[in-house]
Amino acid sequence: MNTPAHQLSTWLKQHQITEVECIVSDLTGIARGKISPTNKFLGEGGMRLPESVLLQTVTGDFVEDDIYYDLLDEADIDMFCRPDPEAIFLVPWAIEPTAMVIHDTYDKRGNPVELSPRNVLKRVLRLYAQKGWTPIVAPEMEFYLTKRSSDPDFPLEAPIGRSGRPESGRQSFSIDAANEFDPLFEDVYDWCEAQGLDLDTLIHEDGPAQMEINFRHGDALSLADQITVFKRTMREAALKHNVAATFMAKPITDEPGSAMHIHQSVVDSESGQNIFVNEDGSMSALFLNYIGGLQKYIPKVLPMFAPNVNSFRRFLPDTSAPVNVEWGEENRTAGLRVPPSEPQAMRVENRLPGADANPYLAIAASLLCGYLGMIERIEPSAAVQGRAYERRNLRLPITIEDALAAMETCEVLEQYLGAKFVKGYVAVKRTEHENFKRVISSWEREFLLLSV
């Protein structure tokens, strides 16, 4: 007998787990759920959570009542959360032997809940499966280490490393600068190995104490789960070493932003052959259509790559982030880059998602854009040559308000992601933005207080 329940029970007993963190991802990517003793977890076979957690903002608020009750039951009912035995991870930093189990969410009739980010990704993956295709992704996660700060009015500062000094100047790809935090990253790698996270390389990026962790290529759902776990792991390791880790898209003024680059290719599910390449090693028509789909639909799904007002600070001029959907071969100034590779590894790198994006939604959105390009046979623009930052033909929305308006009016997204998800996601992000606009910034106090 190898049922999901038996798989879970066997794993938990083998690892002598006494507590289980039962989690689901909300729209922001925050892990929400319950902590349960192992015996209770196995006895219940899942948990219930109010479905309203999927319409909660990053500040803990909810959308307006007319939208809330249009999308959710007026009785504030529960959704049913079932554990996925393929998404179980150790929690190495816990005092007691603890496991984290990611759950899928269903309504009372057994249907997947449309507002669930994990269900959104699974919905897109089913589109590929129906065509006999399997997408392969390889994410790259950028983030900053900073001094711990309890006052949000103060700018973030670079942390103190082993040398006793903060970084000065740009230390791009510096081994010594990365080694400043060796004890922290030794814990990160040990913990990730214990969790089965498929990490590849560690790189020091452009900003002070800005790092990048690359994941090996693999299954899209598994890697979205791994990123969810990794972000928690990285933050816990940083706290252990008395620093902070942030995945904000633009945490420090005048320093580079942090991205979640997503390398993606598609293989034939039966043969395992990359459908992006012809027999002679050249780009296939499907690959060019995939790029065309990214170019056409990314402006419509941009809030799934750039979900916060802070996300759009990463796209300001002279910030080293791509600001359009141009594509080019081995060109990091374009939003869509085709890296040099062996023919079987032909792929495109989507450089637009921020590190603050929900990994389920960012991967789902990118894969959906490429899928639509292939089924609609969309031709891409000509590959850009040279610097792409200043090109304005394929520019993106420059504010979250414009991006949400474009997403809200795209009927194709409603067709493929569900009208309830699109309406709910836009409503949550608008509510967050309204909260942001109520806050008086330090810039306003500094330049307007005694001048106007």
Side-chain angles (χ1 to χ4, degrees), residues 95-289:
I95 297 174
E96 296 292 327
T98 303
M100 178 190 341
V101 183
I102 296 174
H103 287 53
D104 285 315
T105 55
Y106 301 87
D107 64 21
K108 58 187 177 183
R109 292 176 292 277
N111 300 313
V113 173
E114 279 189 39
L115 289 169
S116 162
R118 199 167 193 260
N119 285 342
V120 170
L121 176 54
K122 293 174 81 171
R123 183 169 180 159
V124 172
L125 294 178
R126 283 195 293 271
L127 296 173
Y128 278 84
Q130 291 165 5
K131 293 288 187 180
W133 297 331
T134 301
I136 305 296
V137 302
E140 301 172 350
M141 294 298 300
E142 296 174 342
F143 57 93
Y144 275 88
L145 298 176
T146 73
K147 285 184 180 179
R148 293 174 70 172
S149 173
S150 59
D151 191 335
D153 274 340
F154 283 94
L156 296 175
E157 298 180 15
I160 305 297
R162 292 187 306 160
S163 67
R165 301 176 62 186
E167 285 185 25
S168 58
R170 293 288 171 91
Q171 301 293 336
S172 309
F173 297 96
S174 168
I175 299 298
D176 290 338
N179 286 343
E180 282 283 285
F181 304 98
D182 263 355
L184 187 160
F185 285 110
E186 285 173 8
D187 279 342
V188 169
Y189 272 99
D190 287 346
W191 289 356
C192 289
E193 183 178 359
Q195 294 168 316
L197 305 190
D198 207 7
L199 302 190
D200 193 357
T201 54
L202 167 68
I203 301 167
H204 191 296
E205 273 291 344
D206 291 351
Q210 185 188 30
M211 308 292 177
E212 176 182 288
I213 290 280
N214 296 336
F215 288 77
R216 293 187 181 91
H217 63 275
D219 174 77
L221 182 63
S222 173
L223 280 161
D225 288 337
Q226 290 185 51
I227 294 170
T228 300
V229 174
F230 171 75
K231 292 174 83 168
R232 291 191 70 201
T233 302
M234 190 65 241
R235 285 191 283 256
E236 288 288 341
L239 292 175
K240 177 183 174 181
H241 292 271
N242 200 34
V243 297
T246 178
F247 292 88
M248 283 177 65
K250 186 74 170 177
I252 303 175
T253 302
D254 295 329
E255 295 294 349
S258 292
M260 175 170 56
H261 299 152
I262 305 173
H263 293 251
Q264 51 215 282
S265 59
V266 180
V267 300
D268 181 272
S269 300
E270 289 190 6
S271 68
Q273 293 298 305
N274 188 341
I275 68 171
F276 284 177
V277 63
N278 294 318
E279 289 186 4
D280 63 1
S282 61
M283 298 178 190
S284 70
L286 283 175
F287 185 36
L288 294 173
N289 293 155

Side-chain angles (χ1 to χ4, degrees), residues 76-87:
D76 194 18
I77 62 174
D78 285 341
M79 56 186 176
F80 297 82
C81 308
R82 299 176 191 163
D84 184 343
E86 302 298 324

Side-chain angles (χ1 to χ4, degrees), residues 7 50 63 76 93 239 289 347 400 402 411-412:
Q7 286 179 260
V63 300
D76 194 18
W93 56 86
L239 292 175
N289 293 155
R347 64 193 185 277
I400 192 162
D402 291 343
E411 294 181 0
V412 174

Side-chain angles (χ1 to χ4, degrees), residues 31-83:
R32 302 195 185 271
K34 299 178 179 180
I35 301 173
S36 175
T38 300
N39 290 339
K40 182 176 176 64
F41 169 78
L42 291 173
E44 293 186 347
M47 65 171 172
R48 294 187 181 190
L49 284 177
E51 61 178 5
S52 57
V53 301
L54 296 178
L55 279 184
Q56 203 166 3
T57 69
V58 72
T59 61
D61 298 310
F62 294 95
V63 300
E64 295 178 359
D65 284 353
D66 58 337
I67 298 175
Y68 183 95
Y69 291 118
D70 183 42
L71 298 176
L72 301 179
D73 192 291
E74 292 185 0
D76 194 18
I77 62 174
D78 285 341
M79 56 186 176
F80 297 82
C81 308
R82 299 176 191 163

Side-chain angles (χ1 to χ4, degrees), residues 66-67 70-71 115 414 418-428:
D66 58 337
I67 298 175
D70 183 42
L71 298 176
L115 289 169
E414 291 189 0
K420 181 177 285 189
F421 166 75
V422 173
K423 185 174 183 178
Y425 189 77
V426 169
V428 165

